Amino acid sequence: MRVLIPGLNRHNVAGELLAGVTLVAIAIPLNIGYAQIAGLPASAGLYALVVPALVWALLASSRQLVVSSDAASASLVASSLGGLAVAGSQSYAVMALAQAVICGVVFLLMAVFRLGFLATFLSKPILVGFVGGLSLDILVSQVAKALGVHVDSGAEFTAKVVALATGLADANPWSMLIAGSAAAILLIGQRLFRAVPWALVVMVAATSAVALTHADAAGVQVLGAVPAGPPDLTWPVLDAAQWLVLVPSALALAMVASAEGLLVSRSYGEKHQYATRPNRDLFAFGVASIAAGASGSFALGASTSRTAAMDRAGSRTQLPSLVLAGGTLLLLLFGTDLLAEIPAPAIGAIVGVAILPLLGFRELRRLWRLSRFEFWIAVVCFVVTLTVGSIAGIVVAFVLALINLARRAATPTIDVLADDGNPAHALVEGTTAGQTTAAGTIIIRMAAPLFFANGAVFTQAVKSAITDAGGPDDVLRLVVDMEAVTDVDVTGADEFDGLRTWLAAARIELEFSRVRSNARARLARFGVVRAGDTVFSTNRAAASASLASSEGN
C-alpha cells in the first residue's frame, strides 16, 4: 500500500515543513512573474500553486520534483497564443486554460500507453539549446520591464531587441534604480547566503520602498489589484476549431515538460536512492495539468531551479509542495492587498535573475569540450528557437534527435576479436586490422542490433576484415558474436542474407557464438540464424574448435 507522502517520518517532518516555507517564499514571486510572461494576470500564476501543486504532490512517484508554471512553459504559452488572441483578453485566458487541459490529456495518453520513452528523444544538448533560446527571449522582455520600456511580449526576438534598444532613452530612472538594486541584492545574496529566500526579501523591500516614496506616481509600474479568494473551478469553452489549433503547442509543452521532468526526477531518485516510476509521474503531470486548466491557471512545467533549492534545503518528500499549496491559498484568501504595490521592475529582476542559469552557457562550454557534434546540435536548437519560434524549435529538436540517433546507429563498434592464447581468458578485445582471431578463423562482433541503419555497414565491415586478412585463401571460417545483436529488422536481415550468399560463394563457413536466448526466435524468423547453423556458447569455444580443426587438417 502506498503511503500518502513517501519518505516522510517523525524525524524529518520539521525539516520538510521548513523547506515548504522556503518554497513558498521562492515560488510566489516567480509565479507572479511567469504569469506576466505568459500574458496572464498574476492570479493565474498563483492558482498554479494551489490545486495543481496539491494533485502533483499526492500522485507523483518523485519525492522531490517541483511541478508548477516555469519560464519555459510561460514563454511557450505566450509565443503560441500571441498570434491567436490579444494577451490579457478573455479569449486569450480561455485558450490558456484549454491548452493546459490538452497538455493534461497528452500526459495521460503517454502514461496509459507507456510512452515515457518518447521524452528521451529530447537529449540534454537539445534541452539546453531549446530552453536557452526561450530564456534569452524572456530575459530581453524582463530587462525591458525592469527599465520601464514597453516591449510587445508577442513580438519576435529581433523586434524585442530593437524595441528595447530604441526605448532606452525613455527608460524610467526610478524603475532602473529599483531593478538594478533588486538584481544586485539577488546576485550577491544568493552567492553569499543561499539559504535566504532573496526573491521574497527583494519583493518585500521593493514594495515597501514604492509605498513609502509613492514611486508609482513617478512612472514606476506596479502589479495592481489581485483578486482575492480561492481559485474558481471552471472549464474552457471553445469551438472545435479553436481546440484543434491549440494541439501542436500543447504537444510541444507536454514534450518539454515530460523530458525535463522525467530527467530531473530520475537523477534525484538515483542520487538519493529511491525508486521513481516515469509513467506514474506522467499520469500525475496529466491530472495536475487538467487541474490547472480547470482552476484558472495555465500549462505546467518541471521547475529545475526550485527542485534544486529544495534538495539543498534537505527536502526528500513532497510535503513542501503541500505546504506551498496551503501557503498560497492563505495568501489568496487574506493577503492579496499586499501584492498590489509590488513594482514591475522588481518582478522583472526576480524573474531575470532566476532564468540566468537557464541560458545554458555553462552547459554549452561543457558540450564544446566533450562533444563538438552535440554542441552544434544545442546551438542550432538555440538559434532556431530564438529566431523562428518555440514550435519550430521543438520540430527542429526532434529532427536533430533523429539525426543524432541515426548517426550513432549507423556507425556501431565492429571488432575482430583477438585470442591471446590463454584458454582461461575470454575473447573480448579487438585485434588490429588484417589479423585473424585464430588459424583461418575470424570472430567478429557488432555492438548493436542489426537494422536498416547499420546492416550495410556491418556486411561491408565483415568483407573488409576478410579481405584485409588475406581473403578466402586464408580465411576459412567466420564466427559472428551475437551477444549485442538483440534485435533485427527486415532490411538488416536482407543485408545479412546477402553476406551469407557472399560467404558461400567464397567457400567461407559461417558460424555464430553467444546468441541470446531471448532474441533467437526473432533471429530465426528473419533467417539470420538458421536451423543448420553452428552456434557456440562462447567465443573461446569457437576459437578452440578452430584450433582443433586446423590441427586435424
Side-chain angles (χ1 to χ4, degrees), residues 34 37-39 70-82 92 130-131 133-139 141 153 160 253 298 385 390:
Y34 293 150
I37 290 171
D70 68 339
S73 64
S75 181
L76 275 167
V77 169
S79 61
S80 59
L81 300 184
Y92 186 99
F130 180 77
V131 174
L134 286 177
S135 300
L136 185 55
D137 184 75
I138 295 170
L139 186 61
S141 298
S153 61
K160 290 181 181 179
L253 280 157
F298 56 102
T385 301
S390 55

Side-chain angles (χ1 to χ4, degrees), residues 406-418:
R407 183 184 72 93
R408 294 178 183 280
T411 55
T413 300
I414 302 173
D415 294 317
V416 174
L417 301 185

Side-chain angles (χ1 to χ4, degrees), residues 13-27 310 313 315 318-325 327:
V13 64
E16 295 292 333
L17 289 171
L18 182 60
V21 174
T22 302
L23 183 58
V24 171
I26 295 171
M310 289 298 94
S315 173
Q318 284 291 343
L319 183 58
S321 290
L322 297 180
V323 174
L324 174 62

Side-chain angles (χ1 to χ4, degrees), residues 78 109 112 133 178 181 186 192 205 279 293 327 362 408 476 510 532 542:
L109 290 174
V112 169
I178 292 172
S181 301
L186 288 165
L192 298 178
N279 290 304
R362 180 178 299 176
R408 294 178 183 280
L476 306 177
L510 174 63

Side-chain angles (χ1 to χ4, degrees), residues 433-435 461 463-471:
Q435 301 293 311
K463 293 176 182 179
S464 296
I466 292 172
T467 301
D468 292 344

Side-chain angles (χ1 to χ4, degrees), residues 14 185 302 493:
I185 292 171

